[in-house]
Amino acid sequence: AQPGRCAHFVLRKGRFCRMVPAPGRRFCGEHGHEEEQNDRKRIPCPLDPKHTVYEDQLQKHLKKCNSREKPKPVYFVQDINAGLKDVAEIPEKQVPLSSLSIEELENLISKLKKATNGLEFHLKEQILSHQALQEALNDPKNGESAFKHLKQQASILGNMEKLHLLGPGRCFIEFGAGRGKLSHWVDVALENVESVQFLLVERATTRFKVDGKHKRRDSMFERLQVDIQHLCLNKVPILEKKKLPVVGIGKHLCGAATDLALRCLLESYTICCDGEDEEPAPKRSRAAQTEVAPHNSAGNESAREDHKPVAGIVIALCCHHKCDWTHYVGREFFKSVGLGPVEFNYFQRMSSWATCGMRETTSKASTLEDSEDQTQDTQHEQTLSRTESGSDTLQGILSVEERKEIGCLCKRLIDHGRIEYLQQQGYQAALQYYTEPAVSLENVLLTAVPSPSLIPEPTT
């Protein structure tokens, strides 16, 4: 052991513990039970058995243990964006795709093609860029992975600019923010714009955050460490105070997280901002029941025309195989084409076939300097290629190209349900390819802005 360091040897790491023991001790507090002259007993912490605590100091430790349940923030409302949960609709057991017979698989594919027949699935290519990222895009110090991220962020900003979403008096909410790079570039693009607020929603603690580096007086960054499922935006203090129109953004928002974010923006937030006072659960219930009814009545139109708190939505979609029927916003659309939770659960898993056979593209090693920036796209795509994409049973039934085609149909069918949901909420919604497949296999961007008569006036 090094002088002045703990004498405990950590077998898992092949080195001595690096903690500093108390004066006169050979071991740190965590490994003090190894001290021969120490009669005090150490026990596993009941909150987290991965660490130990002196038994006679247990109560004191429980009050400050990092694993203790922390007070919920004011904007935490349990399951407010979870969607309706009808237990009768949820299949009890999911049968693996590899266990399906040829007839069952063909029946599923037949249902898929029937449901997608007549729907427009040819997406336009809208690969744009933005001046805010030009310097970074031309910086030779950036490696391949960082360059791919920058191209995606530039195109997202370009699409936001085309939709006139980059303006003053708005709150940009980045869902699944991670390090906050997308918000960073939006902030750079709005360098001379006043009254801009950023909320970065991320349920996990994140290293190497970039939002803490922003010191501009006109721009404010705030992190909300909460699962989107439980986030009630109208209880976030800054939105309660300023009533800013919000723009929801996200870069590769995994599966069900996209549906949770849409509900967060268009149900729990929009309904509250429209002056409803009922409890959250009835709000979601009523909103879900109106999903199939078009917003064409004069009374409904005039009520919405007064205030449309969500100015726009721009989300790069990802990981359809992680979607969940309970949270999915397009359930009514699925039912309208004769499909239900059983078919949905198969289709969301079959969606991973869209990247089948592309492992060479997604598994190329990136350089060391790119390692911090590659933690989104590559991980998502490698997960996709591992998910029920090529079992031996399916290999003999469908070719790689057929699986890709079916996987793409599954993705677009799920996304079309989201488009219809947004349209029924009074938004003009669209899907487009925002980057090349060589940059990211998950290259579809979902955008939505209020219908022309419902566009909110920016707050100055």
Side-chain angles (χ1 to χ4, degrees), residues 16-185:
F16 285 95
C17 173
R18 292 173 179 168
M19 297 297 289
V20 178
R25 299 283 188 180
R26 294 180 57 240
F27 296 89
C28 67
E30 183 65 26
H31 304 115
H33 58 281
E34 298 181 28
E35 200 92 45
E36 293 179 4
Q37 65 271 32
N38 191 353
D39 295 330
R40 299 168 71 191
K41 182 181 179 182
R42 290 188 73 88
I43 60 173
C45 172
L47 298 178
D48 181 6
K50 292 180 180 179
H51 66 273
T52 60
V53 60
Y54 284 117
E55 189 174 29
D56 56 5
Q57 289 188 337
L58 177 60
Q59 295 307 314
K60 180 181 178 181
H61 169 79
L62 291 177
K63 294 178 182 178
K64 61 181 181 180
C65 177
N66 288 333
S67 298
R68 72 190 185 282
E69 185 175 354
K70 299 174 179 62
K72 297 288 190 296
V74 293
Y75 45 78
F76 181 98
V77 177
Q78 185 74 37
D79 293 330
I80 188 170
N81 305 313
L84 297 172
K85 188 170 184 179
D86 185 348
V87 179
E89 288 191 7
I90 309 301
E92 293 184 6
K93 185 179 179 181
Q94 292 188 4
V95 178
L97 291 172
S98 55
S99 299
L100 294 176
S101 67
I102 295 177
E103 291 76 19
E104 289 171 323
L105 183 61
E106 288 177 343
N107 184 41
L108 268 178
I109 295 172
S110 175
K111 285 184 177 181
L112 174 66
K113 291 184 176 179
K114 182 180 178 182
T116 56
N117 185 33
L119 298 179
E120 178 55 56
F121 285 108
H122 181 69
L123 307 187
K124 63 180 178 180
E125 191 175 86
Q126 197 152 284
I127 302 173
L128 306 177
S129 191
H130 195 280
Q131 186 61 36
L133 289 94
Q134 289 311 302
E135 185 177 345
L137 284 167
N138 295 325
D139 188 347
K141 294 181 181 178
N142 285 318
E144 182 185 356
S145 180
F147 180 70
K148 288 181 177 181
H149 279 274
L150 290 167
K151 287 195 73 172
Q152 292 173 71
Q153 289 153 348
S155 185
I156 291 173
L157 260 67
N159 276 276
M160 291 177 68
E161 186 173 55
K162 186 170 184 177
L163 294 170
H164 308 290
L165 295 177
L166 295 177
R170 289 190 174 148
C171 177
F172 295 88
I173 305 176
E174 183 178 357
F175 293 95
R179 296 172 61 197
K181 278 290 189 72
L182 184 56
S183 291
H184 163 77
W185 290 117

Side-chain angles (χ1 to χ4, degrees), residues 279-292:
E279 291 299 312
K283 288 178 199 170
R284 295 201 311 275
S285 176
R286 186 169 58 255
Q289 289 169 0
T290 59
E291 285 178 2
V292 291

